[in-house]
Amino acid sequence: MSQKNLYMTRRTFVTGLGLSTVGLYFGAFAYAQNKATTEPSGAMGPKPDPEQPVEEQKSIGLNPNVFIHLAPSGLVTIVCHRSEMGQGIRSSLPVLLADELGADMKQVKIIQGDGDKAYGDQNTDGSNSVRGIYQDMRKVAATARMMLVSAAAARLKVPAESLEARDHQVFHKASGKKIPFGDLAIDAGKLEIPKPDQVKLRPDKEMKRVGGKLPLIDGPAYVNGTAAFGADIRQPGMLIAVIARPPVVGGQVKKFNREAALKIPGVKQVIEMPQPAPPYGFQPWGGIAVLAENTWAAMKGRDALAAQWDAGPNGQYSSATYRESLFKSVRNPGEVMRNVGNIDTALSSAAKTIEAEYYVPHLPHVPMEPPAALAVFKKANGGSCEVWAPTQNPQAAMTEVARVLGLKEEQVTVHVTLLGGGFGRKSKADFCSEAAFLAKATGVPVRVQFTRTDDIQNDYLNTVSAQHLTASIDEKGKVTGWRVRTAFPPIASTFNPKEDRPGLGDLQQGVLDVALAVPNVRAEACRAPAHIRVGWLRSVYNIFHAFAVNSFIDEIAHARKMDPRENMLEIYGPPKKYSLDELGVKELRNYGQPLEKHPVDSARLRGVIEKVTQNSKWKSRGKQKNRALGLAAHRSFNSYTAVVASMRKRPDGSLFIDEVWIAIDAGLVINPDRVRAQMEGSVINGMSHVLFGGVTHKEGAVEQTNFDGVQLVRMSTAPQKINVEILRTENAPGGVGEPGVPPVAPAVANAVFALTGKRIREFGFANSGLQV
């Protein structure tokens, strides 16, 4: 049954709230019972008649915006419009709304929002689900609270200022009277919605649950197997599609054996996919789809195709040769993106100069759940398509599905399932539009299923990078100059092939926003044309910029014969907030946030460094036999994180990390338990990068096919203990999902040097002749 039921007609729609960051809207909200918390917002009823007058619709309760509905029964329904992929957003944002409203969580139901522009930005990416909309979401709930209070004031004939909404009731302290929320729902629903500038938030001290211990709402479903992920969705008569995609971006099929595939028991159809044209964006990859009654038959049918490919213009792409071209690029001047003082004079007059080059390969996403999407196409009424997918960006999926099918976006519905990890891969819509294309071509429901090999070889990989760093030291041993040259194909190249070097938005991640108490600083962007589809991975460019910056700071410490901690604190300088002029930049994108709200603040960076070194007993533990510590710190997504890694050596000479300490200042924190989990996962993620490296290309194709080639930290290589410290500060909320990753790799690399004297300047211990 169709589940696109937001029911916002011209008659029922109310003008936009006009919120600061993402344009959340007020409007009519289809509500009612749903059978499971994982059902999308469309699975709601009773359904108001779209042609019913607004005043009659209000009799169903209080529905001031698309996020909250209060029924006369007292049930509060809250829509979570961001995707849940283990980070606990469904356990955080709804609690924030409930706290601002004054609701009892025992009378709150949480449902998942379908893709719809009425919700504003739904892209669960960039560590932005709290950071970017904290105040806006509070306003959403405060609006409902003010309407309840106004209704109670009218009923009790008292000033609204004398009332308080809490514990699912409105209280009048002077008389002791109280009215349950449900009893006020209809009256409140008839009131005029307050204008944005009239909405007042609660004092922060009244937000009782924010920052406290919160349950993982979907935890029981994860444990008992009732949680619905992408591949769990079924439709009658559906077929499973596995696609033989070109191994090289831009490649085309030369020949394939259709008849052999159709002979496999269970295989029903073989369909050629549309050939994409640059710029590739989120288009389907092309190739040949095999549709079968089950996944195994589809996979065997694909094997039987014996497809042969024309690699196309990117067939000569090789990791080895491209690596050398990147180093050649950064060994020459690039476009100046940041400049303070005169770096040329500092270098020419230096008593000593230090130089180092760093390389990080393409990194794959490898979420636990490979991409999958189910689509149903209907011809009636001009055509429509319904998609169920573990997508991080349902609106992007709507756009791409509509493009592929030649429909309008309002003819496409995207339901968001739970995600078994995402890391940025599932914000791309290719797998959704593949399913939609095949559903229309076959006339039956189709689920496209990626295998692990598909996931690795047809990924939007994190970009490959090379960096050349140079520092000058004067006769007194002071660092007087800092120059970084960085080259990597930017994500923008996926959408515009002419983009062949990093831009301002790319370099905000660990180049332009690094606090440096150095009088002469220059950052240069160097050329790096793309040959694959580049995408964003958890922490994105911060991964390799933090690796180079922190490794280089450690190299400077060694050259100066200083303790790495003291050297780092000196380079980052005394506590201060940096202006654009002091940073040496004309513009700082700052992850979409104003610099006034989220400045580049060396005090916060120093804070996490001091805390993590204190917790790790930096001075004493680092002197123990057969043990060494490495330190790194980084600002990303408006948060500050520092890591200390403890490296030890086994009797056979192999190295292992036995303990890690991580400290984060993410400003105001809603759900500390989820932040702690994100930091623990970040340690495993970052260690996987530096220990095992990424993927390589030969003749344009990814060489690795599974977890034998793309290795992750397992129990045998995981730290025995990960210690997490969450600094409680009064700063605005920063990101959490990504900031923990960047400092992990350089902390490990610096620990290797402290223990062995060997520098790690690229990911993958094996590339440096080390065992793990």
Side-chain angles (χ1 to χ4, degrees):
M1 129 179 123
S2 176
Q3 298 183 27
K4 188 177 178 68
N5 292 319
L6 276 178
Y7 297 100
M8 279 188 261
T9 66
R10 284 174 296 190
R11 181 176 289 181
T12 62
F13 190 78
V14 183
T15 54
L17 179 58
L19 298 174
S20 59
T21 305
V22 293
L24 305 175
Y25 292 104
F26 275 8
F29 176 55
Y31 76 101
Q33 62 187 17
N34 64 312
K35 297 179 181 178
T37 60
T38 51
E39 285 193 18
S41 59
M44 302 177 76
K47 302 169 185 177
D49 183 350
E51 297 304 317
Q52 187 181 18
V54 173
E55 291 304 317
E56 293 180 29
Q57 288 201 38
K58 287 180 178 177
S59 66
I60 62 179
L62 174 61
N63 53 313
N65 53 64
V66 295
F67 295 95
I68 293 179
H69 173 261
L70 170 65
S73 66
L75 177 67
V76 173
T77 301
I78 295 177
V79 173
C80 182
H81 68 303
R82 295 299 180 102
S83 302
E84 176 60 65
M85 48 189 166
Q87 84 280 32
I89 196 61
R90 283 164 52 90
S91 302
S92 301
L93 275 185
V95 173
L96 176 66
L97 269 68
D99 241 14
E100 182 64 58
L101 179 63
D104 178 357
M105 284 301 293
K106 293 179 181 177
Q107 299 186 64
V108 171
K109 180 172 61 176
I110 300 165
I111 59 176
Q112 188 65 44
D114 290 338
D116 199 299
K117 291 180 180 178
Y119 294 122
D121 180 13
Q122 287 184 268
N123 188 17
T124 310
D125 217 326
S127 297
N128 199 44
S129 291
V130 172
R131 176 174 63 89
I133 58 175
Y134 175 78
Q135 294 293 333
D136 292 345
M137 295 308 291
R138 285 188 64 179
K139 277 192 174 184
V140 162
T143 300
R145 171 175 51 77
M146 290 177 64
M147 295 175 73
L148 287 170
V149 168
S150 295
R155 186 176 299 186
L156 297 174
K157 296 180 173 56
V158 298
E161 294 76 18
S162 67
L163 299 173
E164 179 186 6
R166 57 178 171 85
D167 302 327
H168 230 76
Q169 302 174 92
V170 177
F171 290 84
H172 185 240
K173 186 175 181 180
S175 65
K177 293 180 179 179
K178 55 188 178 182
I179 307 176
F181 279 1
D183 291 355
L184 294 166
I186 293 176
D187 287 350
K190 296 176 181 178
L191 299 176
E192 182 179 352
I193 298 172
K195 292 184 172 66
D197 59 1
Q198 297 173 331
V199 177
K200 295 182 180 179
L201 304 181
R202 289 180 180 274
D204 289 344
K205 64 182 181 181
E206 292 184 13
M207 302 292 285
K208 302 298 185 184
R209 299 183 189 90
V210 169
K213 187 174 179 61
L214 301 177
L216 183 61
I217 288 172
D218 295 307
Y222 295 152
V223 174
N224 64 29
T226 60
F229 295 89
D232 293 323
I233 308 302
R234 299 285 188 273
Q235 284 284 323
M238 64 181 279
L239 295 176
I240 309 298
V242 173
I243 302 173
R245 300 174 182 85
V248 181
V249 171
Q252 300 185 48
V253 66
K254 289 196 299 186
K255 58 186 294 189
F256 63 96
N257 193 331
R258 182 189 302 270
E259 291 72 23
L262 289 171
K263 289 179 181 178
I264 301 296
V267 171
K268 297 299 182 184
Q269 295 190 52
V270 174
I271 296 176
E272 293 190 52
M273 299 295 292
Q275 179 65 26
Y280 295 110
F282 296 155
Q283 297 178 63
W285 293 71
I288 312 298
V290 176
L291 296 96
E293 295 173 340
N294 57 72
T295 307
W296 179 251
M299 291 168 62
K300 299 302 289 183
R302 179 173 67 174
D303 292 343
L305 287 173
Q308 297 180 24
W309 306 94
D310 177 353
N314 294 313
Q316 300 303 311
Y317 181 53
S318 160
S319 292
T321 55
Y322 193 74
R323 171 193 172 111
E324 292 309 310
S325 71
L326 287 178
F327 279 129
K328 182 179 180 181
S329 185
V330 297
R331 288 167 189 162
N332 291 281
E335 181 181 354
V336 176
M337 308 296 281
R338 176 181 184 180
N339 192 67
V340 177
N342 191 320
I343 188 65
D344 296 327
T345 299
L347 291 174
S348 63
S349 62
K352 183 177 184 179
T353 58
I354 303 169
E355 291 188 274
E357 292 181 334
Y358 303 90
Y359 175 80
V360 171
H362 289 296
L363 300 172
H365 294 83
V366 289
M368 183 181 297
E369 170 202 37
L374 168 64
V376 176
F377 179 81
K378 295 180 180 178
K379 294 182 180 179
N381 301 317
S384 65
C385 186
E386 228 175 332
V387 177
W388 290 259
T391 173
Q392 292 176 243
N393 193 348
Q395 291 180 32
M398 290 171 63
T399 299
E400 179 61 13
V401 167
R403 185 195 66 80
V404 167
L405 299 182
L407 299 175
K408 297 178 180 179
E409 287 188 25
E410 53 264 32
Q411 295 171 282
V412 177
T413 302
V414 175
H415 307 300
V416 183
T417 68
L418 292 170
L419 285 69
F423 308 122
R425 172 60 179 96
K426 294 173 184 172
S427 59
K428 292 79 173 173
D430 55 307
F431 59 104
C432 298
S433 54
E434 286 178 335
F437 172 82
L438 291 171
K440 182 179 181 180
T442 61
V444 300
V446 173
R447 189 183 86 219
V448 164
Q449 180 65 59
F450 274 55
T451 65
R452 181 59 65 196
T453 299
D454 299 332
D455 174 49
I456 292 171
Q457 297 197 324
N458 297 105
D459 192 7
Y460 290 77
L461 298 166
N462 202 53
T463 195
V464 58
S465 75
Q467 296 174 76
H468 186 108
L469 277 75
T470 309
S472 59
I473 299 176
D474 66 14
E475 65 281 354
K476 296 180 181 179
K478 294 294 183 181
V479 179
T480 59
W482 174 284
R483 186 182 68 198
V484 55
R485 290 173 176 162
T486 181
F488 55 89
I491 291 168
S493 65
T494 299
F495 306 94
N496 180 5
K498 294 181 180 179
E499 298 286 346
D500 63 356
R501 70 181 65 216
L504 284 173
D506 308 317
L507 298 182
Q508 70 171 343
Q509 300 187 29
V511 175
L512 306 182
D513 64 337
V514 178
L516 292 169
V518 178
N520 304 286
V521 176
R522 182 183 293 168
E524 300 172 14
C526 302
R527 189 171 181 271
H531 298 279
I532 69 163
R533 295 193 191 193
V534 177
W536 43 93
L537 167 72
R538 183 186 195 184
S539 302
V540 208
Y541 310 122
N542 286 293
I543 297 170
F544 47 79
H545 286 147
F547 177 62
V549 167
N550 283 276
S551 297
F552 194 56
I553 288 175
D554 200 72
E555 298 206 36
I556 293 172
H558 180 67
R560 300 174 73 195
K561 297 181 171 55
M562 282 185 69
D563 174 78
R565 175 187 183 275
E566 302 310 315
N567 175 71
M568 179 177 286
L569 290 172
E570 181 181 307
I571 288 176
Y572 287 142
K576 69 176 291 185
K577 295 179 175 68
Y578 282 73
S579 67
L580 291 178
D581 285 345
E582 289 170 323
L583 289 171
V585 300
K586 295 180 180 179
E587 177 186 354
L588 186 66
R589 304 288 172 84
N590 206 31
Y591 302 95
Q593 295 295 312
L595 203 59
E596 297 76 21
K597 181 180 179 182
H598 285 286
V600 175
D601 190 345
S602 60
R604 297 179 68 184
L605 194 59
R606 293 180 67 94
V608 291
I609 293 168
E610 289 165 353
K611 177 56 68 175
V612 81
T613 51
Q614 173 189 333
N615 290 353
S616 64
K617 297 183 173 60
W618 173 262
K619 290 186 177 179
S620 59
R621 188 176 270 116
K623 295 178 181 179
Q624 295 176 5
K625 188 178 180 181
N626 293 324
R627 180 202 290 265
L629 303 182
L631 170 66
H634 192 65
R635 174 191 189 265
S636 65
F637 302 93
N638 308 127
S639 292
Y640 299 77
T641 315
V643 172
V644 169
S646 170
M647 177 71 70
R648 307 192 76 166
K649 186 181 291 187
R650 299 184 183 93
D652 65 359
S654 62
L655 305 176
F656 69 101
I657 297 291
D658 69 323
E659 195 165 359
V660 173
W661 295 262
I662 183 168
I664 182 169
D665 176 359
L668 188 148
V669 169
I670 293 179
N671 193 335
D673 184 63
R674 291 296 89 202
V675 175
R676 186 174 303 278
Q678 288 291 318
M679 294 305 105
E680 292 168 345
S682 293
V683 169
I684 299 301
N685 206 174
M687 283 181 59
S688 298
H689 292 332
V690 71
L691 295 185
F692 304 115
V695 299
T696 55
H697 288 78
K698 185 177 181 181
E699 296 180 349
V702 174
E703 294 186 276
Q704 291 74 19
T705 62
N706 215 306
F707 286 126
D708 57 340
V710 177
Q711 295 188 58
L712 304 177
V713 165
R714 302 183 184 185
M715 291 178 67
S716 60
T717 46
Q720 296 174 8
K721 191 173 184 182
I722 299 174
N723 307 278
V724 179
E725 178 86 16
I726 303 169
L727 278 65
R728 299 303 181 99
T729 68
E730 299 300 318
N731 298 293
V736 167
E738 295 170 270
V741 175
V744 174
V748 171
N750 292 338
V752 170
F753 177 77
L755 185 64
T756 69
K758 188 174 185 62
R759 281 289 172 197
I760 304 294
R761 294 195 180 100
E762 67 176 287
F763 282 6
F765 271 26
N767 296 321
S768 299
L770 296 173
Q771 288 181 278
V772 224

